[in-house]
Amino acid sequence: MMANKNFTKSLHSPRNLLILLVWVVLLAAGFWRLFLYANTPGASASASAQWPEKSHIARNTEKPILIVFAHPRCPCSRASVGELERMIPAVQGKLDIEVVFVKPKNLSEDWAKEALWKKAASLPGIHVRLDDGGVEAAVFDAKTSGQTFLFAKDGSLVFSGGITAERGHMGDNDGVDSILSYISQGKAKLAQTPVFGCSLQNPERAFAQEESHEHHH
Amino acid sequence: MSTITKFPPQIFKDRVEQVFTEHYNLLTAKTDRFFIYLLIFQWALGIVFALTLSPQTWEGGESRVHAHVYAAIFLGGLLVSYPALLVYRQPGAVMNRQTIAVVQMLFSTLFIHLTGGRIETHFHIFGSLAFLAFYRDWKVLLIASVVTTLDHLVRGFFWPESVYGVITATPWRAFEHAGWVLFEDVFLFYSIHLARGELRAISESQVGLEETIATIEDKVIERTRELNESQQVVLEQQQALIASSKMSALGEMAGGVAHEINTPLATIKILSEQIQDNVNDDTEIDKKTLKEVMSVIELTTDRIARIVKGLRSFSRDGSRDPYEQVGLQSLIDETLSFCSERFKSDGTELKFAHLPKEIYLQGRRTELSQVLLNLLNNAHDAIQSLPEKWIQLEVVDQKDSVLIHLIDSGNGIPQSVQNKIFQPFFTTKEIGKGTGLGLSISSGIIHSHRGSLYVDSKNPHTCFVIKLPKNQDAQIIISTNS
C-alpha cells in the first residue's frame, strides 16, 4: 500500500487526533445508546402460574394456548408478530394463538386496527382480539407490548416472556425456541425471557381505562 | 550511432511505482468522493426508514418521537461528518478509506436496527463490501469485514446478561453470517488482486512508452545536431565561395585597373621620351610646348593617383561604413575610371551624359561603387560577342529618389531567367567564368540602402535599374573624398 507517499498533510497532528478522538467517542456513545435501547426490556409480567379465572378469553382445554399482548402501534411488536408468523408452520394445529391488542379507552378502534392488527389478523391459525381499556392486560398483568404467555392444556403457565431477541428485532431468540421446544418435546427451554416493546400502560403506570384520560397525540 | 534509450532497472522500477501511485491516488480520491455521496444518501435513507417504520414510541395512549428517529438523524449525521471532513481536506488519503470502511459497516448496523433486523437489510452488508472493493485495497476490505463480524459477535457474546441472567440470542447465527462475509471476501480479495495487477501493468506500459519517447527525443536531438553541423559546413562553404568570388571580382578588377593605368602611363612615357629626345638632340624646346606637355603629364599622373586611391577604397568591405553624402556624378566618374579604358580597348562604347547639376544622396560610397562596377562588368561580358557593343548610363532625378539606368546593347534578359538572376550562385556563364554571386551581392547592397535593383523588361535592350532613396535619415558624415 504505497499509495500514501504523496500525502504530506499530517493526519497525526494533535489537533487532528483530538478531532478523531472526539468523533470516536461520540460515535461509540451513540451506538452504545442505541444498543442499550434495543436491549432494554420493558416491564415483565409477574404472572400467575395458572390461567386467570377473571379472563374473559375462552380457552380450549384440548390444546395449549399462546396469548400475546400487543400495543397496536408499537413498531417493535412488528418483530413479535413476525416471529409468530415464523412459528406457524411448526405449531399449526397443535396450538391456539391469541393476539390481544390493548386499546386505550380514549382512542378509537380505527386507531387500533392499523397495519399490525391487519397483519396479525391475516395469519392463519391466529385469533385477534381487541382489549378495550386494557382489562385483559390487567388481568394477566401484561405491562409491555409483546408479552407472551404459554399455558398448557391444563391451564398451567409454561412460559412467560418476549419472543424477540432485542427490541424490534427479528431473529433467533430463546422465547420462540422455548415455545417450539415445548410443542415438540413437551418442555420449554426457558420459563422466562425479557420482553421488548412499548409500554401498554400510560406513563402513570395505569391502563387508560377511563374516558376521562384525555391524552391525544 | 546510439542505441535505444533504456532506463536503468532501478529507475524504471521507481518510475513505475510513481506512475502507479499517481493512478492509484486518482482512483482513491474519486472513490472517496463517491462514498461521501453514498454516505449522505444513506443518512437520508436512514431517516426515511425511521420515519416510516418507527416514527413513534408508545406508552399506552401517549406517544413520543421514537428513539430511532433521533438515532437516524444524529448517529447518521455523525457517521457522515468525519469522513466528509477527511475527504474534503485530503481526497485519496489512506485514512479516508479506512474510516469509510468502518463507517459504511456501521451504517449497516444502523439500518439493521432501524428496520428491525429484517433479513433483507443484511444485504446492505454484502453490497457495501463490494463497493468498498472499488478502493482496490485489501486492508479496507479486511477492516470492513472485521467491523461487521465484531458487531454480530458483540451482540451475541458480549452484551451482558439480561435482567434474568440469560443471554437472549444464540451466537451461531453470527458465525453463519461471518461465513457468508468470508465467502464474498474471498472473491473480492481476488478481484482486488487482479485489479491492482492490471493497474501495475498499465503503469509499466506507460513507463515503457516514456522510455520510447525518451529514445525518440534523444534521436531527434542527435539528428538536429548533425543537421546543424552539416548546415554549419554548408554555411562555411558558402562564405568561402563568397570570399573567393570577392577575390575573383577583385582580381577581375585588378586586371581592369592595370589596364586603366597602363594607358595613362603610356602617355606619360611617350611625352617624357619626347622631352628626353629633344634634350638629347639639343633641339630648341618651345616653352609653350613644354608647359603643355608638363600639364598633360601632371593631369595624367593625377588620374593614375585617383585610380589607385579609388582601388584602395573600392576593395574595402564597405558594409559597415556610415552613410555619407555621395555625389552621383563623381561616383559614376570614379567608377567609370576603373573600366573606361578597358572598354574602349575592345570596342565597347560608353555613353554617359554629364548631369546638369550634381545630385546628392545618402549612402555608402564604396558599396555603391561596387554595385555600379558589377553591373558594368556584367554588361560588358554579356555583349562581347555582339556586333553592336555599347553601354549607356542614364540618371533620372525623382524628387525623393534617384534612378540609375544601365542599358547595354544586348537584347534583354529572357523572362524565364529574370527571376533567378538575383539569386546567389545563379550564373549563365561557363564554369570558372563567374561565381554567380555578383548580382545577389549587388542586390543585397541596394536593399540595405532601402532601394531596389531590377530589370526593366519593357526596354528592348537589357536594362538594369537601380532605384535609391536620397534620404537615409542617417547622421551624415561629410565625405572627404571628392
Side-chain angles (χ1 to χ4, degrees):
Chain A
M1 261 232 306
M2 57 301 292
N4 211 18
K5 274 192 201 144
N6 295 332
F7 294 108
T8 52
K9 275 195 217 163
S10 168
L11 289 161
H12 299 304
S13 73
R15 188 176 77 120
N16 291 331
L17 278 178
L18 185 66
I19 294 175
L20 177 62
L21 196 66
V22 165
W23 182 71
V24 168
V25 165
L26 284 177
L27 211 57
F31 272 98
W32 183 253
R33 186 75 187 70
L34 193 62
F35 276 10
L36 215 60
Y37 176 78
N39 286 285
T40 304
S44 291
S46 50
S48 54
Q50 278 293 123
W51 178 269
E53 285 157 5
K54 286 207 207 132
S55 169
H56 294 129
I57 299 171
R59 183 170 74 82
N60 181 351
T61 46
E62 299 300 313
K63 279 194 237 179
I65 180 166
L66 186 72
I67 175 163
V68 182
F69 285 88
H71 189 292
R73 298 294 203 116
C74 175
C76 314
S77 296
R78 236 198 323 266
S80 298
V81 172
E83 292 300 325
L84 283 179
E85 188 179 15
R86 279 206 308 133
M87 274 198 285
I88 286 169
V91 303
Q92 190 123 45
K94 301 180 192 152
L95 186 65
D96 279 339
I97 303 180
E98 186 91 13
V99 178
V100 180
F101 284 101
V102 179
K103 178 185 89 70
K105 253 278 191 332
N106 56 318
L107 294 169
S108 67
E109 263 192 38
D110 286 337
W111 173 89
K113 290 187 182 175
E114 267 297 320
L116 204 59
W117 170 284
K118 290 180 187 146
K119 171 86 181 162
S122 73
L123 297 175
I126 291 185
H127 183 255
V128 197
R129 173 193 289 273
L130 191 67
D131 180 15
D132 197 356
V135 173
E136 287 295 337
V139 163
F140 283 87
D141 193 35
K143 303 187 192 102
T144 306
S145 175
Q147 176 77 58
T148 304
F149 300 102
L150 179 62
F151 289 97
K153 278 197 292 203
D154 61 8
S156 60
L157 181 65
V158 173
F159 169 84
S160 154
I163 50 175
T164 57
E166 278 175 28
R167 189 173 286 274
H169 257 69
M170 286 192 55
D172 293 340
N173 63 84
D174 288 330
V176 169
D177 287 348
S178 300
I179 295 166
L180 291 177
S181 67
Y182 177 78
I183 296 298
S184 59
Q185 293 150 25
K187 186 153 189 334
K189 184 169 139 186
L190 289 172
Q192 266 183 347
T193 56
V195 184
F196 298 103
C198 303
S199 172
L200 292 168
Q201 297 172 314
N202 273 345
E204 299 87 26
R205 293 282 164 264
F207 288 104
Q209 291 171 321
E210 303 302 322
E211 294 244 19
S212 57
H213 288 238
E214 72 286 7
H215 299 112
H216 274 282
H217 51 282
Chain B
M1 165 170 93
S2 70
T3 53
I4 298 177
T5 305
K6 273 232 171 280
F7 298 154
Q10 189 53 44
I11 305 273
F12 190 94
K13 221 159 76 91
D14 289 346
R15 179 71 190 137
V16 168
E17 243 0 270
Q18 206 179 2
V19 170
F20 178 87
T21 305
E22 277 167 20
H23 281 309
Y24 187 69
N25 289 346
L26 277 175
L27 180 141
T28 56
K30 216 161 55 153
T31 312
D32 274 349
R33 278 187 280 266
F34 159 75
F35 261 102
I36 296 304
Y37 290 131
L38 181 65
L39 290 178
I40 292 172
F41 170 72
Q42 285 170 169
W43 181 19
L45 193 63
I47 297 173
V48 167
F49 281 156
L51 290 175
T52 356
L53 299 173
S54 49
Q56 293 156 326
T57 188
W58 294 84
E59 283 180 291
E62 299 214 338
S63 68
R64 295 197 300 276
V65 175
H66 202 290
H68 281 176
V69 175
Y70 294 119
I73 295 172
F74 294 111
L75 216 46
L78 195 63
L79 281 172
V80 177
S81 63
Y82 189 64
L85 179 70
L86 287 179
V87 170
Y88 174 74
R89 286 233 294 251
Q90 222 177 289
V94 175
M95 173 121 181
N96 301 4
R97 52 187 177 271
Q98 289 177 346
T99 310
I100 284 171
V102 172
V103 162
Q104 183 64 14
M105 302 329 279
L106 287 179
F107 256 111
S108 286
T109 306
L110 182 63
F111 283 165
I112 289 169
H113 265 104
L114 296 177
T115 58
R118 284 172 90 232
I119 196 66
E120 289 83 350
T121 312
H122 286 75
F123 297 168
H124 182 269
I125 295 175
F126 298 106
S128 298
L129 289 174
F131 283 151
L132 286 169
F134 287 176
Y135 278 117
R136 304 191 191 177
D137 182 352
W138 62 268
K139 287 186 195 159
V140 163
L141 212 55
L142 186 67
I143 290 171
S145 307
V146 163
V147 166
T148 202
T149 310
L150 273 181
D151 168 48
H152 274 65
L153 288 178
V154 157
R155 284 202 264 134
F157 280 119
F158 295 113
W159 179 250
E161 297 87 339
S162 69
V163 164
Y164 299 101
V166 165
I167 299 170
T168 55
T170 53
W172 304 116
R173 187 77 70 170
F175 276 121
E176 190 192 342
H177 285 193
W180 284 112
V181 166
L182 191 64
F183 179 74
E184 187 182 358
D185 276 349
V186 166
F187 290 102
L188 290 180
F189 278 129
Y190 185 60
S191 97
I192 286 173
H193 173 71
L194 285 180
R196 286 179 81 86
E198 272 174 26
L199 196 60
R200 188 162 292 280
I202 289 171
S203 303
E204 282 177 0
S205 262
Q206 188 171 320
V207 177
L209 202 64
E210 288 175 358
E211 236 180 17
T212 306
I213 290 172
T215 304
I216 292 172
E217 279 177 352
D218 281 349
K219 280 217 157 69
V220 166
I221 288 169
E222 203 187 291
R223 295 280 175 265
T224 308
R225 192 173 43 79
E226 284 171 8
L227 203 66
N228 282 344
E229 277 175 2
S230 52
Q231 231 180 22
Q232 195 62 26
V233 170
V234 167
L235 220 66
E236 282 166 9
Q237 284 176 343
Q238 262 186 1
Q239 280 171 350
L241 240 128
I242 289 171
S244 89
S245 142
K246 283 189 179 155
M247 289 309 296
S248 78
L250 213 57
E252 236 179 65
M253 208 195 59
V257 164
H259 194 102
E260 300 294 317
I261 293 179
N262 273 342
T263 313
L265 274 178
T267 308
I268 293 171
K269 185 161 191 248
I270 290 172
L271 287 174
S272 50
E273 270 176 1
Q274 203 176 341
I275 302 289
Q276 209 164 26
D277 285 345
N278 283 350
V279 167
N280 289 344
D281 286 349
D282 269 330
T283 322
E284 183 68 26
I285 305 169
D286 192 273
K287 242 198 184 156
K288 188 160 157 255
T289 318
L290 191 63
K291 241 177 147 177
E292 276 174 21
V293 167
M294 294 325 294
S295 149
V296 170
I297 291 177
E298 198 184 335
L299 282 172
T300 313
T301 327
D302 279 344
R303 186 159 164 226
I304 294 172
R306 265 210 313 276
I307 291 173
V308 171
K309 192 176 186 186
L311 176 63
R312 278 173 59 213
S313 79
F314 185 90
S315 62
R316 296 174 51 251
D317 173 15
S319 62
R320 274 186 275 267
D321 291 350
Y323 287 115
E324 48 177 319
Q325 197 86 323
V326 176
L328 214 47
Q329 176 74 59
S330 76
L331 178 77
I332 294 175
D333 283 342
E334 193 180 285
T335 312
L336 285 178
S337 74
F338 293 142
C339 58
S340 58
E341 283 300 326
R342 183 159 55 97
F343 287 6
K344 208 157 45 167
S345 72
D346 64 20
T348 310
E349 191 190 339
L350 256 179
K351 303 187 217 176
F352 174 48
H354 217 79
L355 299 175
K357 77 174 164 83
E358 180 62 292
I359 303 170
Y360 288 100
L361 55 84
Q362 294 176 5
R364 292 189 269 260
R365 192 184 191 85
T366 307
E367 283 198 324
L368 292 176
S369 182
Q370 287 167 344
V371 170
L372 263 179
L373 189 63
N374 173 238
L375 290 176
L376 285 165
N377 282 336
N378 283 354
H380 175 259
D381 291 342
I383 60 176
Q384 274 309 294
S385 49
L386 293 180
E388 203 186 319
K389 296 195 279 204
W390 51 261
I391 300 174
Q392 184 182 0
L393 263 171
E394 254 175 42
V395 176
V396 178
D397 185 0
Q398 302 184 319
K399 191 158 155 294
D400 291 319
S401 59
V402 63
L403 295 177
I404 305 169
H405 296 263
L406 206 144
I407 312 162
D408 64 55
S409 56
N411 295 325
I413 297 179
Q415 199 54 33
S416 60
V417 158
Q418 263 185 42
N419 296 336
K420 298 191 198 162
I421 53 177
F422 294 106
Q423 285 171 9
F425 305 110
F426 181 85
T427 179
T428 55
K429 292 178 177 168
E430 296 168 18
I431 295 177
K433 284 275 182 246
T435 54
L437 284 170
L439 270 179
S440 76
I441 293 175
S442 299
S443 172
I445 289 171
I446 298 301
H447 278 127
S448 78
H449 280 74
R450 301 188 305 143
S452 49
L453 174 62
Y454 55 91
V455 174
D456 180 2
S457 35
K458 294 200 201 78
N459 197 310
H461 297 287
T462 311
C463 175
F464 278 85
V465 183
I466 302 172
K467 179 173 175 172
L468 286 167
K470 287 189 185 170
N471 214 325
Q472 295 290 343
D473 287 331
Q475 282 212 312
I476 296 304
I477 298 169
I478 305 299
S479 163
T480 50
N481 305 332
S482 52

